[in-house]
Amino acid sequence: MVVDQLHEDEVSRLFQALADATRRDIVARVLVADHSVSRLAEQYAMSFAAVQKHVAVLERASLVTKEKRGREQIVRGEVDGVQTARRLLDDYERIWRQRVGRIEDILAEDEDRN
Amino acid sequence: MVVDQLHEDEVSRLFQALADATRRDIVARVLVADHSVSRLAEQYAMSFAAVQKHVAVLERASLVTKEKRGREQIVRGEVDGVQTARRLLDDYERIWRQRVGRIEDILAEDEDRN
DNA sequence: GTAACGTACAACCACATGGTTGTAGATCAG
DNA sequence: CTGATCTACAACCATGTGGTTGTACGTTAC
C-alpha cells in the first residue's frame, strides 16, 4: 500500500497544503506554466508576503519547486506530489471496494443457502 | 472539469479533513467496517471528546456519516468523498500532462527545423 | 429504580495558520 | 551610481485547530 511508504507527517503536509483555495489555484497555474512569485502575487487580492507564504507551504509539501533566475524566483508545479496524494486516495477506495466485496460474498453465501 | 462542480469551501474542508493522521486512520477503519464512536476512541491515545471532534470534522467533509443505533452512534465511511478528492487530483494531473504535451509539440517543431 | 454506558456540548488552553506591515538585501535598467 | 524591482524575513494580530476537563442527558442492563 502506498500509504505505508510515506511518513504520516509528509502526507499531512500534502493535504494541508491542498486545503486552501488560493494554494490550489497557485498549483493549477504553475502546473500549466512557470510563474515568478511576484507574477503569482499579481493574481490575488492579498499582499506579496502572503503569496510568498503560500508558495512556501506548497514547497514544503513538495507540490512546487522554486528556482532562482536572476532576481526572480521561478515557481514550477511538481506533479509527483499531486500523484502521491491521488495514490493515497486510490488506496482508500481499494480498501472500500474490498469491504464491498466481502459484503457481496456474505450475501452470495446467504444466496447459496436458499 | 470536476473542480468547477464544487464550491471551493467544500474542497477545502475535504482536504483539511484528510490533513490529520488520526482522521485518516479513522477513515481507513470505517471504510473497512462500521465502528461506534466509543469503539473508535479506544484505538487512540486521546480523550473520547477529541475523537468525537475528529469524527465531526470528517462528517462535515462528507467522508463519513453517523447513524444513531440505540445509545450508540455508528460511523460509516463514505467513499464518495474520497472519490471526489481523487478526481480533483486527476484534474491537476491532466492539466500537467497538457502542458507536457505542449512542450513536446514545441520540441517537435524545433526538430522539424533541423 | 439505579448504575454504567455512550454521547453531546461548553469552556478552556496552547499552538498553528493566514493575513498584515515594515525593513533590508540582491539584481536589473538607464 | 541611482532608482525600481523582486525577494526574504521578522514582528505582529485575529482566528482556527487539536487537545483537555467537566457537566448533562438519553439508553441499556440488572
Side-chain angles (χ1 to χ4, degrees):
Chain A
M1 191 170 317
V2 179
V3 180
D4 303 334
Q5 297 168 10
L6 294 154
H7 300 287
E8 291 293 332
D9 288 359
E10 296 179 50
V11 180
S12 295
R13 255 179 284 141
L14 232 180
F15 285 122
Q16 179 67 40
L18 289 167
D20 179 277
T22 303
R23 285 197 293 263
R24 286 194 302 275
D25 194 74
I26 291 175
V27 169
R29 284 180 193 275
V30 299
L31 280 174
V32 172
D34 298 352
H35 287 70
S36 70
V37 179
S38 53
R39 193 83 102 53
L40 281 172
E42 290 169 13
Q43 310 289 332
Y44 308 102
M46 66 183 72
S47 68
F48 172 82
V51 174
Q52 218 177 5
K53 280 191 186 181
H54 281 308
V55 171
V57 170
L58 291 170
E59 199 179 10
R60 260 179 278 130
S62 305
L63 283 166
V64 308
T65 51
K66 282 196 304 185
E67 189 186 344
K68 231 167 292 184
R69 203 173 62 194
R71 66 183 157 186
E72 293 184 323
Q73 196 80 254
I74 306 300
V75 184
R76 162 176 295 115
E78 284 294 318
V79 83
D80 293 3
V82 178
Q83 287 176 337
T84 298
R86 188 186 49 71
R87 283 195 214 104
L88 287 165
L89 297 175
D90 281 345
D91 287 344
Y92 287 122
E93 288 193 41
R94 197 171 311 123
I95 289 168
W96 179 77
R97 268 187 236 108
Q98 283 171 4
R99 174 210 188 149
V100 172
R102 283 202 314 281
I103 290 170
E104 282 170 354
D105 288 348
I106 292 165
L107 293 177
E109 284 172 25
D110 286 351
E111 198 66 28
D112 292 346
R113 289 202 199 92
N114 295 345
Chain B
M1 191 168 316
V2 180
V3 179
D4 303 334
Q5 296 168 8
L6 294 154
H7 300 288
E8 291 292 333
D9 289 359
E10 296 180 49
V11 180
S12 295
R13 255 179 284 139
L14 231 181
F15 284 122
Q16 179 66 42
L18 290 167
D20 179 278
T22 302
R23 285 197 292 265
R24 285 194 301 275
D25 194 75
I26 290 175
V27 170
R29 284 180 193 274
V30 298
L31 280 174
V32 172
D34 297 352
H35 287 69
S36 69
V37 179
S38 53
R39 192 85 99 55
L40 281 172
E42 291 169 12
Q43 309 290 332
Y44 308 102
M46 66 182 73
S47 68
F48 173 82
V51 174
Q52 219 178 4
K53 281 192 185 179
H54 281 308
V55 171
V57 170
L58 292 170
E59 199 180 11
R60 261 180 279 130
S62 306
L63 283 166
V64 308
T65 52
K66 283 196 303 183
E67 190 186 345
K68 233 168 290 186
R69 203 172 63 194
R71 67 183 157 185
E72 293 184 324
Q73 197 79 255
I74 305 300
V75 184
R76 163 176 296 113
E78 283 295 317
V79 83
D80 292 3
V82 177
Q83 287 176 337
T84 297
R86 187 186 51 69
R87 282 195 213 103
L88 286 165
L89 298 175
D90 281 345
D91 287 344
Y92 286 123
E93 288 193 40
R94 198 172 310 121
I95 288 169
W96 178 78
R97 269 186 236 108
Q98 283 170 5
R99 173 214 189 146
V100 172
R102 282 202 314 280
I103 290 171
E104 282 169 354
D105 288 349
I106 291 166
L107 293 177
E109 284 172 25
D110 286 349
E111 199 66 28
D112 291 346
R113 290 204 196 90
N114 295 346

